[in-house]
Amino acid sequence: MFGFLVGTLSLIGLIKVWRWGRYGHGRRGYGGPRRWMLRRLFEHLDTTPGQEKVIAGAVEDAERKLWAAREELLRGRAAFAKAMRGERFEGAAIDAAFERQQAAVDEVKKAVKEGMAALHEALTAEQRARLANLLEFGPARMHGCGHGHFRHEPHRRGGDAQAVNL
């Protein structure tokens, strides 16, 4: 139960950061963090307008499902509170809330899986490899951060390439 609550709070925090930016002002200025991130992603992958449409559609669909899941997770709080307030513990209400929440999470999983399949089909092999690296190693790779010191790459010093086993 505690793990579920921590996971729920983590998901809500992730959605908040993704939607509003790190400092809470993502919707002002240059189109928000999502538009900025997509623009950087398009530059990194060197996408065509058709590919950009597919990527933007997949992101929007996943975001819509994430918001629906967030709302369902927050609605579950009322069911948990009701179960605690009653004279008798209502386990059935808790089970029903968990089932609704699980269905919402399953919708998110389905949207992400379908979006990834659409991206796989729309991108070239080189673009898929770049996106896979971005997914595996994070955005620092896209921005040129890290100075080449990654666990998966050999450490280069003075022209020598020695593998670093960490």
Side-chain angles (χ1 to χ4, degrees):
M1 179 70 178
F2 181 71
F4 176 78
L5 292 175
V6 170
T8 300
L9 293 174
S10 298
L11 178 62
I12 291 168
L14 174 66
I15 292 169
K16 181 191 178 302
V17 169
W18 184 22
R19 176 96 174 170
W20 295 104
R22 184 174 180 174
Y23 300 105
H25 50 69
R27 292 290 177 198
R28 287 187 256 162
Y30 299 101
R34 186 175 61 122
R35 179 169 269 173
W36 176 82
M37 286 188 298
L38 284 177
R39 198 168 41 241
R40 293 282 298 172
L41 179 65
F42 297 156
E43 290 172 6
H44 182 72
L45 296 178
D46 193 26
T47 56
T48 65
Q51 291 172 325
E52 291 173 7
K53 231 177 177 178
V54 171
I55 294 169
V59 169
E60 286 177 19
D61 187 41
E63 184 180 53
R64 193 172 36 256
K65 300 290 184 178
L66 276 168
W67 276 103
R70 176 185 182 269
E71 292 300 319
E72 191 57 52
L73 291 172
L74 292 176
R75 270 189 238 119
R77 292 170 50 185
F80 301 146
K82 183 179 176 184
M84 292 306 293
R85 281 191 189 107
E87 289 294 318
R88 295 185 352 194
F89 181 74
E90 295 182 32
I94 298 293
D95 290 339
F98 278 137
E99 287 176 17
R100 286 190 304 272
Q101 290 173 345
Q102 187 60 48
V105 170
D106 289 343
E107 286 294 318
V108 171
K109 289 173 19 180
K110 180 181 172 188
V112 169
K113 185 178 176 181
E114 289 173 355
M116 289 181 74
L119 291 178
H120 190 274
E121 188 175 314
L123 298 176
T124 66
E126 181 184 336
Q127 290 170 325
R128 286 193 305 265
R130 286 182 186 175
L131 183 58
N133 283 339
L134 180 62
L135 290 171
E136 186 174 3
F137 301 112
R141 188 90 191 254
M142 190 168 75
H143 300 292
C145 298
H147 312 290
H149 301 281
F150 298 101
R151 289 182 180 199
H152 66 282
E153 290 183 347
H155 182 75
R156 290 177 179 84
R157 192 177 272 168
D160 281 340
Q162 300 173 345
V164 175
N165 295 325
L166 299 175

